[in-house]
Amino acid sequence: MPFKLVIFLCFWAAVANADLKELKLEADKPLERVALSHEATIRCCYHWNKKPHVTWIINIQNTNGTTMPSIVNQSKDVIEEKDGVKCHLLFFKSVRLNDTGLYQCKLNHDTLHIFTHGTFLQVYKPLQKTLNLSESVKNSIITAEGVLLLMCVLIPGTMLLCKSKRLNELERKKGQEEENIYEGLNLDDCNSAYHQIQRSNQQGPYQDVATCGEDIQLEKP
């Protein structure tokens, strides 16, 4: 009896291995990103001459890091076939935030249970506009920003140019005043006055009494 059981199990293993060799899983779309309340379509494709029973599975990640698989309820199984490749489609008319997760097809045939690669569906909430502005208003705002930017550049530059111009004028006037100090002076007069000062310094501030031509009467003590 045990020998027959071993032979039976080996036979089924060989059959299952042959079925697996005939199965070829096609590449699934890794990510499907859809806005909230929009339509979405997920597909899983394979090439197999068998007719397996296909079940959609969603894997939701919990807060503790573990994944929890669950069966997706669908009203109708839609199949597309082209060149021997079969594709099962899963439709969402209006996705919700809790529809986010990894979707896989589970192929069931006899004792075989095979999962496809899967597609991760990400549902996001689009940002809402705080200000609903028309195109003309937007263009006016852009033009005003350009004018303000131009003024911020031109006004400080103009002030610096005026300041540097005033400084140059003051330096020019100062140089002219220093030149005008020496314009009215006569060099010959300056030389003669200079020689007279030197001669007076050589003679000294006192004269000898004997050299005086006039009679000088000295007052008695």
Side-chain angles (χ1 to χ4, degrees), residues 110-143:
D110 293 338
T111 58
L112 294 177
H113 305 284
I114 303 167
F115 288 90
T116 58
H117 304 294
T119 300
F120 187 83
L121 176 63
Q122 182 182 12
V123 182
Y124 67 94
K125 189 175 182 181
L127 296 177
Q128 297 179 354
K129 295 182 179 180
T130 55
L131 295 176
N132 191 9
L133 301 177
S134 61
E135 293 296 328
S136 59
V137 175
K138 292 179 182 179
N139 294 333
S140 301
I141 293 174
I142 294 173
T143 304

Side-chain angles (χ1 to χ4, degrees), residues 42 44 56 74-80 87-91:
I42 301 175
C44 65
W56 280 98
Q74 56 178 350
S75 59
K76 184 179 179 180
D77 186 18
V78 181
I79 302 175
E80 293 180 353
C87 295
H88 293 260
L89 280 67
L90 180 62
F91 291 103

Side-chain angles (χ1 to χ4, degrees), residues 6 38 41 62 69 80 122 132 139 150 153 178 183 197 213:
V6 171
H38 282 63
T41 303
N62 297 325
E80 293 180 353
Q122 182 182 12
N132 191 9
N139 294 333
L150 184 62
V153 173
E178 291 178 354
E183 285 183 357
I197 293 171

Side-chain angles (χ1 to χ4, degrees), residues 10 47 70 136 176 195 209 220:
C10 292
H47 185 280
S70 59
S136 59
Q176 291 177 356
H195 292 308
V209 178
K220 294 182 180 180

Side-chain angles (χ1 to χ4, degrees), residues 188-208:
D188 295 335
D189 295 340
C190 291
N191 290 331
S192 61
Y194 176 74
H195 292 308
Q196 290 177 3
I197 293 171
Q198 281 188 339
R199 283 197 300 271
S200 64
N201 289 333
Q202 290 176 359
Q203 290 177 1
Y206 304 101
Q207 292 182 355
D208 191 0

